[in-house]
Amino acid sequence: MTEPTNPFLRPSRVPRGERRLLCVFDGGNAPGYSSVAVALTEEGTRRGFEVWAATEGFRSLTGDATHELRFERMVVSRRERYELLAQNIPARSMGRRVQDAGSDFRSERYLGFHQRETRDLAAQTFRAQGFTHLVCVGGNGTFEGCKAWLQSFGDERPPTAFVNVSIDNDVGGDRAIGFLTGVEAGAEIARGLYEDSYTHKRIYLLEMMGNRSGRHALNCGVAARAHLIVLPFFSFPDEVLREIAEGLSKAEHALVVVAEGYEAERRKRDLPGVSASAFFKIQLEQYGLRDLPDRRVIAEPFSRHIRGVRPGFADVSAAYLKATMLFEAFDEGRTEVMPFVLAAHDVGVRSFETITREDRVERAFLPLLDRFGMPKLRTWVRDHFTMSEQIL
């Protein structure tokens, strides 16, 4: 890789101590990325780590990097930042960014990392820049990218950890940082449409986040008291669609939450570019639910703005707890671990080999999917999602 033309030094040209940590933030945006960055900086610095961030996620370690400044040192105070800048060392003070929205360090689902050659190059860059430890931050896609990347290190894998940040909350055995904030922001939108539907006697079909995981749409819909919640893995038969259309036609007003991944493959094949909520509206129109001047049926488009809201303090707290458990694991000589926080007395560290993707939702929520009491819908859901007593 050629030497950058900017005046800042790369990590490889900076004197370092024993432990140089690289933090890689990747995947779709979610509230809490900055909180995790601050927590890792504070706790890592306290324990004697030199903490760096890849400025563009996995991309920064490859030939596809778009910025000459590929790595930045993360420090707590502005004074330390100024001292490093005076030495031409790129640095960012993180101390007051604990509740910032978004993230300064990330790229969205860098597809080039699917190639083994690209991951091999990233491993070479990691070593060349003198990094000794690795922490990847993101959702399930980032986790899978991290695991695949470790294979490129052969028998000399660095001590590695993963921090789960995601609105989808699709990594099993943990509550993702950003999930609670996402539910609060999403439910507020949904509840606003509920009240508007009541005032104007309308039917709203609101599309919400949830490509494969239904947890965000489910929790937002339940909290906002949606009349019907359509999860991404649903594919209704004609008799159920007819029942839903008839039920909504009789309702004085209604809010329906539709996960963005609903009938994704079918939409891509039959109606490219049509949103999940608009597609569901088209389906219901075939069974008599019409958008009329005196009785509107409105498909509300999906909005991504909730990914950029400030994290709530419950998520900030989880970020610090996870960072503390992560570094304790490193100090104990452990590697390939994920700190998890599920409840007040259910926290700890899991090994990578025990972690799975989890798109399903708890079966206890089934009675809350439908407030109309539609028998065919409930029978269909019960018959098709009975994988276990606890989840579907």
Side-chain angles (χ1 to χ4, degrees), residues 339-352:
F340 71 89
V341 176
L342 288 171
H345 300 287
D346 193 0
V347 303
V349 175
R350 303 190 192 282
S351 63
F352 279 8

Side-chain angles (χ1 to χ4, degrees), residues 222-273:
V222 169
R225 304 308 296 128
H227 295 85
L228 177 65
I229 302 169
V230 180
L231 298 177
F233 38 81
F234 284 0
S235 182
F236 298 123
D238 291 345
E239 62 177 8
V240 172
L241 286 170
R242 181 179 292 106
E243 183 183 54
I244 293 173
E246 292 174 353
L248 290 173
S249 296
K250 297 175 183 177
E252 184 181 52
H253 69 97
L255 169 67
V256 179
V257 168
V258 184
E260 62 171 314
Y262 173 67
E263 292 282 26
E265 292 301 319
R266 186 175 175 184
R267 286 187 284 119
K268 183 178 180 181
R269 182 187 69 238
D270 299 341
L271 293 171

Side-chain angles (χ1 to χ4, degrees), residues 42-68:
E42 289 187 13
E43 189 64 18
T45 301
R46 187 178 72 82
R47 293 174 182 260
F49 282 82
E50 185 182 309
V51 184
W52 290 75
T55 58
E56 295 182 283
F58 291 127
R59 184 188 296 271
S60 293
L61 293 116
T62 75
D64 292 333
T66 61
H67 294 167
E68 292 183 347

Side-chain angles (χ1 to χ4, degrees), residues 27 37 40 56 103 118 125 184 194-195 242 258 275 280 305 311 318 320 359 362 374 379 388:
L40 292 173
E56 295 182 283
S103 173
T118 303
T125 303
E184 287 292 326
Y194 179 99
E195 296 298 343
R242 181 179 292 106
V258 184
S275 70
F280 192 50
H305 88 273
Y320 275 89
D359 294 327
E362 294 80 4
M374 301 179 186
T379 298
S388 79

Side-chain angles (χ1 to χ4, degrees), residues 234 363 366 369 375-387 392:
F234 284 0
R363 288 189 57 80
L366 288 182
L369 293 176
K376 292 180 181 178
L377 170 64
R378 294 197 171 198
T379 298
W380 179 81
V381 171
R382 185 189 66 236
D383 291 346
H384 288 78
F385 301 98
T386 57
M387 298 182 204
L392 65 87

Side-chain angles (χ1 to χ4, degrees), residues 297-316:
V297 178
I298 302 173
E300 283 290 323
F302 171 60
S303 175
R304 297 180 183 272
H305 88 273
I306 61 172
R307 298 180 3 170
V309 301
R310 291 180 179 272
F313 284 109
D315 281 324
V316 174

Side-chain angles (χ1 to χ4, degrees), residues 278-356:
F279 182 79
F280 192 50
K281 178 183 176 182
I282 292 171
Q283 287 184 305
L284 297 178
E285 284 174 348
Q286 298 174 15
Y287 296 99
L289 184 65
R290 302 276 191 259
D291 179 17
L292 303 172
D294 60 344
R295 184 177 176 76
R296 300 298 315 277
V297 178
I298 302 173
E300 283 290 323
F302 171 60
S303 175
R304 297 180 183 272
H305 88 273
I306 61 172
R307 298 180 3 170
V309 301
R310 291 180 179 272
F313 284 109
D315 281 324
V316 174
S317 174
Y320 275 89
L321 181 54
K322 289 183 178 184
T324 299
M325 292 189 292
L326 182 156
F327 283 106
E328 286 179 352
F330 277 167
D331 287 346
E332 293 168 358
R334 300 182 64 181
T335 184
E336 299 182 29
V337 294
M338 177 189 74
F340 71 89
V341 176
L342 288 171
H345 300 287
D346 193 0
V347 303
V349 175
R350 303 190 192 282
S351 63
F352 279 8
E353 62 186 13
T354 67
I355 301 170
T356 59

Side-chain angles (χ1 to χ4, degrees), residues 5 59 112 183 272:
T5 58
R59 184 188 296 271
V183 169

